[in-house]
């Protein structure tokens, strides 16, 4: 069904990806979750269909589409399989976009076509055990020698860790320099000295592999440095802005499914001689779910439309993620409550919504960090008239 807030082209993209997802990705979503199967076949399919690297210029293998178009794809995938959605989002918003915006012409020609076609999967490695929300304090070192940069350290909670073919890795040239020493590097999975821990046993998005990355004197040629020395912190923050829009879209997809399943159940489930949707308590939950879904979708689409304004709109990107993720968790729980005892059982699929939703409040910036981002800019110079 077309949305009036989208133009004709955007609605066409939305309809096409929804049809593709429901006809393919949705069918094995439950199995992949239960067995923790990494959905590489989904990424290959999305590549063949032209949904990877959507914002990239066609000369490098992309579609030259808008950021909103890519956001619509994340939302549609998340409605069926949030695990594939986050793999897709990291691949596009954090890895491909990093090379597209900050890479050299040689790096773009060497890496982007394969990434856009789904021949390889990209990932992003910044988090460390002692520097989660405070990336400026990272300890992974990069030492420049005659043969390139030598990277040594450990990264935690890497989405697609061990499955992705290539990683944007952040390391510091000197911890004393804090954010001014952080530099980004493109590192292949096959690099000597690079290894990964076993997959983490997670609460949700279980088909998305999350692993520790260990770098033991990994040599990166100078030509695989991304951006300039000391530019890594800016690159990371810029890319995370887009990533937060993607997580907001993932949350919207989860909320959509929570509402759709709750409505269907409320219409057919009978108690005390009538459908439970006739009871005021259920109606209020459904009304709140629909209202918050609409608000979250509007915030996310607005953030996507203004992505090209960059850090100037960082509070807006944070607001979209904060609101959408917290409402996704709230309304996934509402869906379970509407289903009652059945909602607690795996067979009905709504307990998974809560498991998958919870991490949206955590990765790519916790809700607490989102509030700090918003409030710190409000207290400085952010133009409220621009919201």
């Amino acid at each position: 069904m077309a949305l009036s807030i989208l133009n004709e082209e955007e609605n066409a993209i939305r309809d096409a990806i929804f049809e593709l997802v429901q006809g393919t990705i949705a069918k094995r979503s439950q199995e992949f979750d239960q067995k923790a199967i990494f959905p590489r076949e989904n990424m290959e399919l999305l590549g063949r269909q032209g949904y990877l690297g959507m914002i990239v210029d066609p000369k490098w293998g992309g579609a030259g589409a808008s950021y909103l178009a890519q956001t619509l794809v994340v939302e549609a995938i998340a409605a069926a399989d949030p695990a594939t959605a986050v793999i897709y989002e990291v691949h596009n918003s954090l890895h491909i976009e990093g090379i597209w915006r900050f890479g050299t012409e040689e790096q773009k020609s060497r890496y982007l076509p394969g990434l856009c076609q789904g021949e390889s999967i990209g990932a992003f490695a910044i988090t460390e055990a002692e520097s989660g929300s405070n990336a400026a304090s990272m300890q992974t070192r990069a030492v420049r020698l005659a043969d390139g940069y030598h990277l040594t350290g450990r990264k935690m909670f890497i989405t697609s860790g061990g499955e992705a073919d290539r990683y944007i890795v952040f390391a510091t040239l000197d911890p004393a320099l804090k954010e001014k020493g952080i530099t980004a590097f493109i590192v292949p999975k096959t690099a000597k000295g690079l290894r990964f821990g076993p997959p983490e046993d997670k609460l949700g998005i279980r088909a998305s592999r999350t692993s520790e990355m260990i770098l033991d004197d990994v040599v990166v040629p100078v030509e695989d440095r991304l951006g300039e020395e000391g530019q890594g912190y800016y690159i990371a923050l810029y890319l995370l802005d887009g990533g937060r829009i993607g997580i907001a879209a993932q949350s919207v997809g989860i909320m959509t499914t929570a509402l759709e399943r709750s409505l269907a159940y409320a219409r057919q489930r009978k108690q005390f001689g009538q459908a439970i949707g006739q009871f005021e308590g259920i109606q209020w939950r459904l009304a709140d779910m629909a209202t918050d879904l609409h608000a979250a979708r509007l915030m996310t689409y607005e953030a996507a439309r203004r992505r090209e304004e960059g850090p100037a709109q960082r509070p807006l990107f944070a607001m979209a993620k904060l609101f959408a993720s917290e409402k996704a968790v709230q309304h996934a729980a509402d869906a379970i409550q509407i289903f009652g005892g059945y909602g607690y059982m795996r067979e009905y699929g709504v307990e998974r919504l809560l498991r998958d939703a919870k991490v949206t409040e955590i990765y790519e910036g916790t809700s607490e960090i989102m509030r700090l981002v918003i409030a710190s800019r409000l207290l400085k110079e952010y133009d409220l008239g621009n919201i």
Side-chain angles (χ1 to χ4, degrees):
M1 183 177 69
L3 291 178
S4 60
I5 56 177
L6 301 176
N7 62 33
E8 185 176 349
E9 179 182 358
E10 291 161 350
N11 270 306
I13 292 171
R14 182 174 182 267
D15 291 344
I17 186 59
F18 179 81
E19 182 178 354
L20 176 68
V21 166
Q22 293 303 313
T24 55
I25 292 174
K27 293 181 178 180
R28 298 194 65 188
S29 179
Q30 191 81 346
E31 176 191 359
F32 283 7
D33 174 72
Q34 291 179 354
K35 298 180 181 179
I37 299 171
F38 186 81
R40 183 173 291 271
E41 65 184 57
N42 292 344
M43 293 295 288
E44 293 172 347
L45 169 68
L46 292 164
R48 291 195 301 271
Q49 296 295 324
Y51 290 108
L52 300 182
M54 293 183 70
I55 67 170
V56 173
D57 191 295
K59 69 183 282 190
W60 306 118
S66 68
Y67 209 89
L68 177 56
Q70 183 170 284
T71 301
L72 296 172
V73 174
V74 178
E75 178 186 346
I77 297 171
D81 186 11
T84 297
V86 73
I87 296 166
Y88 175 94
E89 187 274 322
V90 169
H91 176 79
N92 285 279
S93 298
L94 300 184
H95 191 91
I96 287 181
E97 189 171 351
I99 296 173
W100 163 240
R101 293 191 186 274
F102 301 102
T104 63
E105 293 296 294
E106 191 277 332
Q107 288 170 342
K108 292 176 185 178
S109 65
R110 183 154 42 117
Y111 296 128
L112 288 178
L115 290 164
C116 292
Q117 293 162 17
E119 295 172 356
S120 58
I121 295 176
F124 186 86
I126 191 168
T127 302
E128 297 180 7
E130 300 301 323
S131 63
S133 297
N134 180 20
S137 66
M138 71 173 60
Q139 296 300 306
T140 297
R141 292 295 305 275
V143 177
R144 184 165 183 172
L145 298 175
D147 58 346
Y149 295 89
H150 290 233
L151 274 56
T152 300
R154 303 171 84 96
K155 299 291 185 181
M156 297 291 293
F157 307 138
I158 307 305
T159 296
S160 303
E163 291 285 352
D165 304 284
R166 198 169 292 108
Y167 302 80
I168 294 179
V169 179
F170 295 84
T172 181
L173 299 173
D174 182 354
L177 294 174
K178 296 184 179 180
E179 68 270 15
K180 294 181 181 179
I182 296 174
T183 304
F185 304 90
I186 302 171
V187 182
K189 176 183 177 180
T190 55
K192 183 179 179 180
L194 177 63
R195 53 194 174 90
F196 297 88
E200 301 289 353
D201 189 8
K202 306 192 301 290
L203 173 70
I205 57 165
R206 294 179 55 80
S208 166
R209 173 167 169 165
T210 303
S211 297
E212 180 184 21
M213 168 189 279
I214 301 101
L215 302 109
D216 185 8
D217 197 33
V218 174
V219 179
V220 181
V222 174
E223 57 265 29
D224 276 339
R225 185 187 67 216
L226 184 64
E228 301 300 323
E229 288 189 355
Q231 193 184 7
Y233 190 70
Y234 173 83
I235 291 173
L237 292 185
Y238 189 99
L239 296 176
L240 284 168
D241 280 340
R244 287 162 183 169
I245 298 170
I247 300 306
Q250 182 189 25
S251 302
V252 170
I254 293 171
M255 292 170 70
T256 300
T257 299
L259 177 57
E260 288 176 348
R261 292 182 181 175
S262 296
L263 282 169
Y265 190 77
R267 291 185 182 116
Q268 61 89 17
R269 172 67 170 166
K270 288 184 169 56
Q271 286 288 290
F272 302 103
Q274 60 182 333
I276 63 171
Q278 298 302 310
F279 294 105
E280 190 175 70
I282 300 296
Q283 292 177 352
W284 284 12
R285 286 185 189 270
L286 294 172
D288 286 347
M289 292 170 79
T291 301
D292 289 339
L293 172 59
H294 186 59
R297 181 174 279 136
L298 289 175
M299 291 179 73
T300 301
Y301 290 3
E302 174 71 3
R305 289 191 193 279
R306 301 180 73 170
R307 169 62 172 135
E308 295 303 324
E309 297 177 36
Q313 292 302 330
R314 185 162 289 155
L316 181 62
F317 309 148
M319 289 176 193
K321 180 185 184 297
L322 174 65
F323 184 83
S325 63
E326 292 196 342
K327 292 303 182 181
V329 172
Q330 177 185 334
H331 295 315
D334 283 336
I336 293 174
Q337 196 67 23
I338 289 169
F339 274 71
Y342 294 112
Y344 204 68
M345 307 302 163
R346 285 194 173 185
E347 177 185 354
Y348 287 79
V350 289
E351 56 82 32
R352 179 185 168 192
L353 295 174
L354 183 57
R355 291 191 290 107
D356 287 349
K358 182 58 192 172
V359 74
T360 66
E361 296 181 310
I362 299 170
Y363 53 22
E364 298 193 31
T366 64
S367 291
E368 291 76 13
I369 291 298
M370 294 304 95
R371 288 183 166 89
L372 285 174
V373 168
I374 297 164
S376 62
R377 187 68 68 84
L378 287 175
L379 292 167
K380 293 177 181 176
E381 80 289 351
Y382 192 60
D383 182 3
L384 291 171
N386 257 335
I387 297 178

